[in-house]
Each structure stands twice: as structure tokens, then as C-alpha cells.
Amino acid sequence: MKTLSICAPMYNEKEMVPYFFEKIDEVIKKLSSYKVEILIVNDGSKDNTLELLKEQKKTHPNLHIVSFSRNFGHEAAVSALLKYSKGDVVCIMDSDLQDPPELIIDMLKLYEQGFDVVNARRINRKKDPFLKRITAELFYKVISKLSGKIKVPDNVGNYRLLSRQVVDHINNLKEKNSVFRVQVPYVGFKTATMDFVRPPRLKGETHYNYKSMFKLAGDSITSSSTQPLRWSLYLGIILGTISFISFIVFLILRLVGFSTLIYFEAMLYSFIVLTLSIVLVVLGVVGEYVGRILIETQNRPLYYVEEEIKGDLDE
Ligand code: UDP
Ligand code: MG
């Protein structure tokens, strides 16, 4: 019998724990042809999420709990889920039921047809706040421009089903600056996509604010492409050409008798300001990459595990 790992990270999800298990139990009942492991990473919750998980362990011998020593963030939690999962098929999802667990049944059908990756794509962005929708759209546009041959799909978050071989390949990627939604398409393999309507969070609050989304966007861009570094070269060439042409134009105007000094000064001033700001932006972009090189060379562990309670699949 094949095994399925249902994996979710939890950070301060005390209100979601009972609902999550209730929903997962309903799905497991319908999966008679799989042995199921439930793997939860407790990402340093400050509330009693861990105690509630231990409570669930009494009725769920197949529950495997990995508890971090502090909050390491969603991406680190997903990395741990992939490392600790043992199933032949691995499903990664959020624990707030925004990734509806009943979808797993249809995702498994696609896996059984031979797909190694089954993505769940959300199709109801329209209900999101305007700013979130625009920034998300921009994010996927920029990423797809930058990632070249790798197709990072639109509106696919972390909800996915992966075959064991894909999970192993992702686990073998050594980068610290990892972004799950970029790693999956990087690895490749036969991929199917299922659409779903993403419901609002049932209980509790989102942990993502604009700052953390900005960080995710930065990590995704720097981990998928070095193209932004090349843009500074192009910008330099363009600016150099413009300044050379304008110099020639002003010189000719001066030679044919126009007094162009005042225009020349105005143009010079705006040109200097423009160039300076571009130089600072370019420096910032380079800094983003340098910062990430530091993180890679430090080579610190992505997370520390304080407590692990194994499930019956480990025995
Ligand atoms: N999460 C986590 N660590 C964090 C933040 C979030 O493990 O530092 C988990 C959280 O418990 C949830 C998932 O990541 O299962 C997605 O978080 P959230 O629902 O807050 O994000 P949103 O759906 O609003 O993008
Ligand atoms: Mg959520």
C-alpha cells in the first residue's frame, strides 16, 4: 500500500487545530487505498498550538509532530516538512483550511495518472484587497519574466502534491534562501494544475503582512535569476548614450549661434539627479544579492528542532 504524507506548518494556530484535524479525518476516510501520515511542523508557536497537537496525538497515532525551537518562518517550515515526510506522495498545504483538504482526492487521481507534481491554482483573486491583488499580479509577472525557461505558474501558492522523487530532488537543493514555489518548477517533472476557489481564513489571522510579502518577493527574484544585475549594465549604456547625444546636440546648437546655456544647465541638473538615483537603485539591487551570498556562506541551519514526536509510520 502506498503512503501519503499530509503536511502543514502551524504558527499560532490554536483556533485552527481542531477544525484542521476534523477536515483531514473526513478526507482520510475517503482514501482507503493509502496509508496516511499527518506531519505538522510547529513553527515556534507562542500560543498553545503544540499542546493542542499533543492532545490530537492521542486520537491520531499517525500524527508526526516536529516542533521548532522558535519561529523560523513559513519557508523554513515547508523545508522541514519536505525533509521529515516519508510518504510516496507528499501533500503540502496551509493549516488554516484556505487550501481545502478535500482537493487532495482529485490531486491524487492526477498523481495516479502519472503526474509527479500537482499544483493547486487559486482562481478567485478578485475578492482580495485591491493592493494585494495588484502586488500579487506584479509579482507573478516579474517572476515569469525573470525565470526564463522555468515556468513559475501564476497564482499557485504552496498547496501541491509531489511524488517522492520530486521531494527528494528538492531536499537535495542546497540553498538556504529557498522559496518552495520557485523550487518546484525548477526541479521540473510532469506537472498538472487544478483550479480551486480559495476560501477566506476560517479562524485566526494571517501572518503575512506587506513586509513579509516583500521579503518573499525579493527571495523569489534573487533565487531565480541574476537578470536584475545585468539591467544595471544596460542602464549604464543607455544613460551614457543619451548624455553623449545631448552633448553633441547642444554643441551644434551653440555653434550655429543659439544661446543654449540655460537649457543646458537645467538638463545637466536633472540628468545628475536621475543618474544618482539610478546608481543608488543599482547599488541596492547588488546589495540584495550580496546579502544573500552572506547568508549562503554562513551556512547556518534553516531551523532547530526542539521536540519531535514520531508517528506510527516511523516505527
Ligand atoms: N506559518 C508558519 N510560520 C510563519 C507564518 C505562517 O508556519 O511564520 C504557517 C501558518 O500557520 C499557515 C501557513 O503558514 O499554516 C500560511 O500562513 P497564513 O495563513 O498566515 O498566510 P496567508 O494564507 O494569509 O498567505
Ligand atoms: Mg492563510
Side-chain angles (χ1 to χ4, degrees):
M1 197 190 254
K2 282 203 169 180
T3 51
L4 163 71
S5 300
I6 297 180
C7 311
M10 287 195 182
Y11 175 52
N12 295 346
E13 299 285 8
K14 67 169 195 261
E15 290 169 291
M16 282 311 305
V17 174
Y19 294 104
F20 178 79
F21 280 91
E22 201 178 292
K23 260 282 167 70
I24 293 295
D25 285 344
E26 278 172 28
V27 172
I28 292 177
K29 267 190 215 133
K30 294 180 190 151
L31 295 174
S32 50
S33 52
Y34 286 88
K35 193 165 167 43
V36 180
E37 139 185 85
I38 306 172
L39 174 61
I40 304 289
V41 164
N42 171 41
D43 184 12
S45 297
K46 293 174 187 79
D47 62 6
N48 62 341
T49 299
L50 183 60
E51 284 68 44
L52 292 172
L53 286 171
K54 286 178 182 170
E55 199 60 42
Q56 291 289 339
K57 176 77 189 168
K58 292 177 189 156
T59 46
H60 294 85
N62 60 346
L63 172 61
H64 183 170
I65 307 168
V66 176
S67 187
F68 284 177
S69 60
R70 63 169 171 85
N71 177 247
F72 282 90
H74 193 177
E75 288 298 328
V78 172
S79 292
L81 290 171
L82 295 170
K83 280 259 162 30
Y84 282 84
S85 69
K86 279 165 302 298
D88 303 302
V89 206
V90 176
C91 178
I92 302 284
M93 62 182 350
D94 287 355
S95 56
D96 58 359
L97 299 180
Q98 283 198 282
D99 297 337
E102 58 273 17
L103 234 64
I104 296 176
I105 297 160
D106 291 328
M107 287 164 113
L108 275 171
K109 283 185 192 140
L110 286 163
Y111 163 77
E112 282 155 13
Q113 283 169 26
F115 289 99
D116 283 283
V117 177
V118 184
N119 294 331
R121 176 172 57 200
R122 48 183 308 196
I123 50 169
N124 61 329
R125 277 271 176 201
K126 286 194 176 59
K127 285 204 188 99
D128 278 8
F130 179 72
L131 200 58
K132 185 153 185 172
R133 207 171 70 222
I134 293 294
T135 45
E137 217 162 89
L138 191 71
F139 169 76
Y140 287 111
K141 275 228 168 73
V142 171
I143 276 292
S144 73
K145 264 264 172 317
L146 290 176
S147 48
K149 282 184 190 149
I150 313 156
K151 275 270 135 291
V152 179
D154 284 9
N155 292 321
V156 176
N158 283 355
Y159 195 12
R160 292 152 201 261
L161 196 82
L162 307 172
S163 69
R164 175 48 43 192
Q165 67 165 338
V166 170
V167 173
D168 287 342
H169 287 311
I170 294 178
N171 286 339
N172 283 332
L173 293 174
K174 290 284 170 273
E175 74 249 27
K176 301 286 163 193
N177 178 27
S178 63
V179 180
F180 180 57
R181 64 186 75 181
V182 175
Q183 286 181 320
V184 178
Y186 180 76
V187 166
F189 291 90
K190 264 203 212 135
T191 303
T193 300
M194 275 186 58
D195 289 341
F196 78 106
V197 173
R198 195 168 209 237
R201 192 179 241 281
L202 190 66
K203 287 270 160 33
E205 274 169 27
T206 174
H207 304 95
Y208 273 85
N209 50 30
Y210 280 103
K211 195 173 149 219
S212 42
M213 284 196 294
F214 205 68
K215 183 179 178 304
L216 181 70
D219 285 345
S220 309
I221 290 169
T222 50
S223 70
S224 27
S225 166
T226 52
Q227 195 69 19
L229 292 172
R230 215 158 296 138
W231 290 345
S232 53
L233 185 69
Y234 301 152
L235 265 175
I237 294 171
I238 292 168
L239 278 178
T241 316
I242 294 174
S243 63
F244 182 70
I245 292 172
S246 47
F247 170 73
I248 299 286
V249 169
F250 278 108
L251 195 69
I252 293 171
L253 287 175
R254 183 98 190 119
L255 287 179
V256 296
F258 281 98
S259 171
T260 54
L261 202 59
I262 186 93
Y263 301 109
F264 188 69
E265 273 178 0
M267 210 198 82
L268 200 67
Y269 174 75
S270 35
F271 199 74
I272 289 172
V273 173
L274 175 76
T275 312
L276 208 68
S277 32
I278 290 176
V279 167
L280 286 177
V281 169
V282 167
L283 215 63
V285 172
V286 174
E288 286 294 310
Y289 284 90
V290 174
R292 275 156 183 98
I293 297 172
L294 174 74
I295 291 167
E296 298 300 329
T297 51
Q298 275 180 319
N299 200 21
R300 290 180 172 174
L302 275 177
Y303 49 81
Y304 289 100
V305 174
E306 185 173 324
E307 193 177 351
E308 184 184 0
I309 300 168
K310 294 189 168 171
D312 55 6
L313 266 191
D314 300 272
E315 282 142 20

